[in-house]
Amino acid sequence: MLRVVHVSKTFAAGPFSQKRISAVNDVSFHVPAKTSFGILGNSGCGKTTLARMMLGLIRPDSGHILVDGEDITARRSQLQRQRRTIQLLFQHPESALDPHLRIQDSLLEPLLAHRLAPDSETRQRKLEQVMALTRISTGLLGRYPHQISGGEAQRICIARVLLLEPKILVLDEPTSMLDVSVQAEIFALLRSLQSSLGLTYVLISHDLEIMRRFTDHLAVMQNGRFVEQGPPDFLFDCPRHPFTKELVENERFFSIASHRDASAAL
């Protein structure tokens, strides 16, 4: 469903600098249909740059990205055809919604932009279908983004991308700004949608526990490179690369510390 082949990307060190900084360096991976692929790494390691290239928002300096068999780095026409196939779920759902639009208008915007529903009756039918899938109350449609919770905003963002009937969703830290209980609800919803719609996920996160629970295959990224790949349980139980070992040890330390603090509070 998604194949990334020897992709690299550099940026200028400054507006007048000749020096280039490597953000992504010779990254390759593939994601089979209806599976979840995780990209784990610290801030600044190149995760978001890689995601932006997968979505066609920026072009790689070298390498190829194939979405559903088509190379979107080859010609602009291929990218345009695959715009609906691969969609992004943002880290900050409240910022992804236009503050001047009511929720209903934000939801309908993709249909109008891609000219998918020529009449209001078709648009309304599609809207009701995705609202049922994502369990969104009709009472939210007349509200503005500042009048809803973070969890409701993320559900609305999920519903909005589903209106385009994508095959791949790139999830860029989709629950990092939400409470733990709401995080669990969102991931349960995403799992349900994957099962019912056959979606393929690329999850970007720095949270080891989420990666272990949610992904089928995991890549650990450091300084623009993939340093280790494999099933999450194997990587976390038997890490080989020093950076993976460091991530796992830090996670265990904070987990023990949190448990100790909770016990003391009791």
Side-chain angles (χ1 to χ4, degrees):
M1 184 54 65
L2 175 67
R3 185 175 293 274
V4 175
V5 185
H6 298 297
V7 163
S8 296
K9 182 67 180 178
T10 62
F11 295 99
F16 306 106
S17 175
Q18 298 296 316
K19 183 181 177 182
R20 308 288 295 183
I21 296 174
S22 178
V24 176
N25 191 349
D26 193 29
V27 167
S28 296
F29 64 95
H30 72 278
V31 187
K34 305 177 185 179
T35 65
S36 298
F37 183 89
I39 302 174
L40 175 71
N42 292 334
S43 298
C45 73
K47 304 190 301 294
T48 298
T49 298
L50 181 58
R52 289 170 65 82
M53 288 192 287
M54 285 187 278
L55 292 154
L57 299 176
I58 56 177
R59 291 180 64 85
D61 296 336
S62 60
H64 299 275
I65 299 172
L66 289 84
V67 175
D68 201 14
E70 280 200 278
D71 188 349
I72 64 171
T73 58
R75 290 196 299 272
R76 188 77 180 174
S77 58
Q78 267 107 340
L79 174 59
Q80 287 301 109
R81 278 200 299 271
Q82 294 295 352
R83 281 290 188 201
R84 289 173 54 198
T85 303
I86 181 167
Q87 287 287 308
L88 172 66
L89 195 63
F90 292 94
Q91 179 179 7
H92 300 277
E94 69 284 350
S95 301
L97 299 171
D98 189 329
H100 303 292
L101 291 182
R102 295 184 187 275
I103 297 304
Q104 177 166 325
D105 296 324
S106 287
L107 283 168
L108 292 175
E109 198 171 18
L111 294 179
L112 298 173
H114 288 266
R115 300 176 183 175
L116 296 177
D119 56 83
S120 59
E121 184 179 338
T122 305
R123 289 195 292 270
Q124 187 62 32
R125 185 175 68 252
K126 286 181 173 289
L127 184 59
E128 290 173 357
Q129 288 172 349
V130 297
M131 287 179 64
L133 280 172
T134 52
R135 303 161 204 162
I136 294 173
S137 167
T138 55
L140 297 179
L141 294 179
R143 299 183 187 178
Y144 289 94
H146 71 274
Q147 296 174 316
I148 62 176
S149 69
E152 290 170 336
Q154 195 60 291
R155 284 179 183 273
I156 287 160
C157 289
I158 293 170
R160 186 169 61 172
V161 298
L162 290 182
L163 281 166
L164 295 177
E165 301 178 7
K167 297 179 181 178
I168 307 168
L169 289 187
V170 178
L171 314 172
D172 188 4
E173 303 273 9
T175 61
S176 63
M177 307 305 293
L178 305 176
D179 294 338
V180 175
S181 59
V182 181
Q183 287 183 16
E185 291 175 5
I186 294 297
F187 275 113
L189 173 60
L190 290 170
R191 276 239 181 262
S192 173
L193 292 171
Q194 185 176 43
S195 176
S196 59
L197 301 177
L199 295 171
T200 303
Y201 291 143
V202 178
L203 174 61
I204 297 169
S205 181
H206 62 272
D207 191 311
L208 275 68
E209 188 59 30
I210 286 175
M211 288 298 195
R212 185 191 287 269
R213 291 169 180 251
F214 193 75
T215 61
D216 303 301
H217 193 87
L218 179 63
V220 180
M221 193 170 190
Q222 182 189 32
N223 298 329
R225 289 180 177 272
F226 281 4
V227 297
E228 196 167 2
Q229 291 192 53
D233 286 338
F234 177 77
L235 286 188
F236 295 154
D237 294 339
C238 307
R240 296 182 179 181
H241 193 274
F243 181 65
T244 311
K245 291 179 180 179
E246 181 183 341
L247 290 175
V248 172
E249 288 169 2
N250 287 343
E251 181 75 7
R252 287 171 179 163
F253 171 80
F254 286 116
S255 177
I256 292 171
S258 299
H259 179 73
R260 187 191 307 121
D261 292 344
S263 299
L266 291 172

